[in-house]
């Protein structure tokens, strides 16, 4: 009996002290294969990474704006998503940042989309940055744009064009995307409001690999962040006119986003205009905010 008791104690001791020296064969990564993680989580990681980089450059706080529309985390039949609106707490460069996602879990039309859109205040004339990334049954897709701002129509100021739209860096980015095998232009938006605010370098492409999606979305975000670092403030007397046009842009952005939600709801066989309007409002932030600008 004594010998048996000693053997049992020895076995328990060995089991409790054992630590495996193997590591999982697959580790989480943005560029991991679909064997390990679903495409939805891959794109979600990209969205988080880009948003975190924006947070590093600007001091932002999460507001309760989407909660006021009861859509911060929403679900409607096969569709679901989340919406966040972030305000700048220190500084006066941004009006706000919209971060939202949309998912369709239906078997015949699986869809996931993640967006990060940055809207500027009139202190700077850098374009607004829009980024939408996602995955459908036929592969990865993304839409990118730098929405032109200022009191005058785009094309009136050649320095503005050269700085943000017609330089070699931007043109090569645009051309390279559509030289990739299997990549295709996505159809224009059915929304008049969406087409109205698009810039000459608006890109909407499908058939991307995950690595290509990461490469070009990263270039889009980092180019814009550098624009913000290099920008000089607008003179105070010009900011009123800029702010007026910015509000108009956001009004059209709201209509475009409502149209986007309507299209997704219709594709899923759901009709709910009021719900789409709430989602559109929460995804584009407060409009016609008073601006209190300092001198420069």
């Amino acid at each position: 009996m004594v010998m048996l008791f000693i053997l049992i104690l020895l076995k328990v001791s060995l089991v409790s002290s054992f630590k495996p020296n193997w590591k999982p064969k697959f580790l989480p990564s943005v560029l991991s294969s679909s064997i390990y993680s679903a495409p939805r989580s891959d794109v979600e990681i990209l969205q988080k990474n880009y948003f975190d980089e924006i947070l590093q450059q600007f001091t932002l706080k999460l507001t309760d704006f989407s909660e006021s529309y009861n859509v911060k985390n929403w679900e409607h039949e096969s569709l679901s998503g989340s919406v966040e609106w972030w305000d700048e707490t220190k500084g006066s460069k941004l009006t706000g940042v919209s971060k939202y996602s949309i998912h369709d879990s239906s078997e015949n039309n699986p869809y996931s989309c993640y967006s990060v859109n940055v809207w500027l205040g009139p202190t700077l004339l850098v374009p607004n940055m829009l980024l939408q990334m996602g995955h459908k049954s036929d592969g990865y897709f993304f839409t990118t744009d730098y929405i032109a701002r200022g009191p005058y129509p785009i094309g009136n100021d050649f320095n503005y064009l050269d700085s943000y739209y017609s330089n070699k860096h931007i043109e090569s980015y645009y051309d390279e995307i559509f030289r990739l095998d299997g990549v295709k232009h996505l159809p224009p938006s059915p929304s008049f409001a969406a087409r109205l605010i698009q810039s000459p370098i608006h890109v909407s492409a499908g058939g991307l690999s995950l690595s290509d999606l990461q490469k070009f979305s990263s270039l889009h975000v980092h180019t814009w962040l550098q624009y913000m670092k290099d920008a000089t403030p607008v003179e105070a007397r010009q900011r009123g006119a800029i702010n007026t046009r910015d509000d108009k842009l956001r009004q059209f952005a709201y209509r475009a986003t409502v149209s986007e939600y309507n299209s997704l709801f219709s594709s899923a066989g759901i009709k709910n205009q009021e719900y789409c309007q709430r989602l559109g409002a929460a995804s584009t932030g407060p409009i016609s905010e008073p601006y209190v600008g300092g001198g420069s």
Side-chain angles (χ1 to χ4, degrees), residues 158-198:
F158 285 100
N159 288 330
Y160 192 79
L161 279 178
D162 291 342
S163 296
Y164 302 121
Y165 297 102
S166 62
N167 60 68
K168 292 181 179 179
H169 178 71
I170 292 296
E171 289 175 351
S172 62
Y173 158 84
Y174 188 93
D175 293 339
E176 186 179 353
I177 293 172
F178 294 104
R179 285 199 299 265
L180 297 172
D181 291 337
V183 173
K184 58 187 178 182
H185 286 276
L186 296 180
S189 171
S191 166
F192 171 78
R195 299 194 305 273
L196 183 68
I197 64 175
Q198 288 172 1

Side-chain angles (χ1 to χ4, degrees), residues 4-292:
L4 179 61
F5 181 71
I6 293 173
L7 288 173
I8 291 173
L9 285 177
L10 180 61
K11 184 176 181 180
V12 170
S13 176
L14 287 171
V15 171
S16 62
S17 64
F18 175 72
K19 293 182 180 179
N21 59 7
W22 56 269
K23 295 181 180 180
K25 186 175 180 181
F26 300 105
L27 295 174
S29 168
V30 170
L31 296 179
S32 62
S33 70
S34 58
I35 296 174
Y36 177 80
S37 60
R40 169 175 167 176
S41 62
D42 288 333
V43 185
E44 187 175 15
I45 291 170
L46 286 177
Q47 181 200 41
K48 181 183 183 304
N49 290 346
Y50 298 145
F51 184 74
D52 286 348
E53 291 191 59
I54 293 169
L55 280 177
Q56 289 175 11
Q57 192 161 325
F58 306 98
T59 306
L60 305 175
K61 68 173 181 179
L62 178 62
T63 72
D64 62 356
F65 186 68
S66 61
E67 291 181 14
S68 68
Y69 288 94
N70 198 27
V71 292
K72 183 176 181 180
N73 293 287
W74 60 275
E75 187 171 355
H76 198 75
E77 298 186 24
S78 66
L79 299 176
S80 62
S82 63
V83 184
E84 295 177 358
W85 179 261
W86 293 69
D87 275 343
E88 191 176 19
T89 58
K90 188 177 181 181
S92 57
K93 296 177 180 178
L94 308 182
T95 296
V97 180
S98 174
K99 177 173 175 268
Y100 62 96
S101 64
I102 311 167
H103 313 291
D104 186 346
S105 61
S106 59
E107 293 183 3
N108 61 336
N109 190 35
Y111 174 92
S112 290
C113 180
Y114 297 84
S115 297
V116 178
N117 300 329
V118 187
W119 301 93
L120 276 75
T123 304
L124 302 174
L125 262 182
V126 176
N128 299 310
M129 187 201 76
L130 271 61
L131 171 63
Q132 185 180 77
M133 309 170 289
H135 187 274
K136 297 189 291 187
S137 56
D138 60 351
Y140 293 92
F141 66 89
F142 82 155
T143 297
T144 65
D145 206 355
Y146 297 144
I147 294 182
R149 302 173 57 244
Y152 306 111
I154 187 170
N156 191 69
D157 185 342
F158 285 100
N159 288 330
Y160 192 79
L161 279 178
D162 291 342
S163 296
Y164 302 121
Y165 297 102
S166 62
N167 60 68
K168 292 181 179 179
H169 178 71
I170 292 296
E171 289 175 351
S172 62
Y173 158 84
Y174 188 93
D175 293 339
E176 186 179 353
I177 293 172
F178 294 104
R179 285 199 299 265
L180 297 172
D181 291 337
V183 173
K184 58 187 178 182
H185 286 276
L186 296 180
S189 171
S191 166
F192 171 78
R195 299 194 305 273
L196 183 68
I197 64 175
Q198 288 172 1
S199 82
I201 58 167
H202 170 90
V203 173
S204 194
L208 293 161
S209 67
L210 181 57
S211 59
D212 287 332
L213 172 64
Q214 183 184 34
K215 173 183 176 180
F216 290 107
S217 59
S218 175
L219 183 60
H220 178 70
V221 173
H222 293 146
T223 298
W224 180 85
L225 287 172
Q226 190 61 50
Y227 286 161
M228 291 296 291
K229 289 179 180 178
D230 296 340
T232 55
V234 173
E235 292 183 10
R237 67 176 184 273
Q238 298 177 337
R239 296 177 187 177
I242 296 170
N243 197 52
T244 299
R245 184 163 187 265
D246 281 345
D247 269 347
K248 292 297 182 184
L249 287 173
R250 300 262 306 290
Q251 289 169 18
F252 283 112
Y254 160 73
R255 296 177 189 176
T257 308
V258 171
S259 176
E260 177 187 4
Y261 279 114
N262 270 325
S263 296
L264 290 169
F265 273 55
S266 296
S267 297
I270 305 170
K271 290 185 179 180
N272 195 327
Q273 175 70 12
E274 186 272 338
Y275 205 82
C276 292
Q277 289 173 343
R278 283 196 282 136
L279 286 166
S283 301
T284 50
I287 296 177
S288 297
E289 296 175 331
Y291 171 70
V292 181

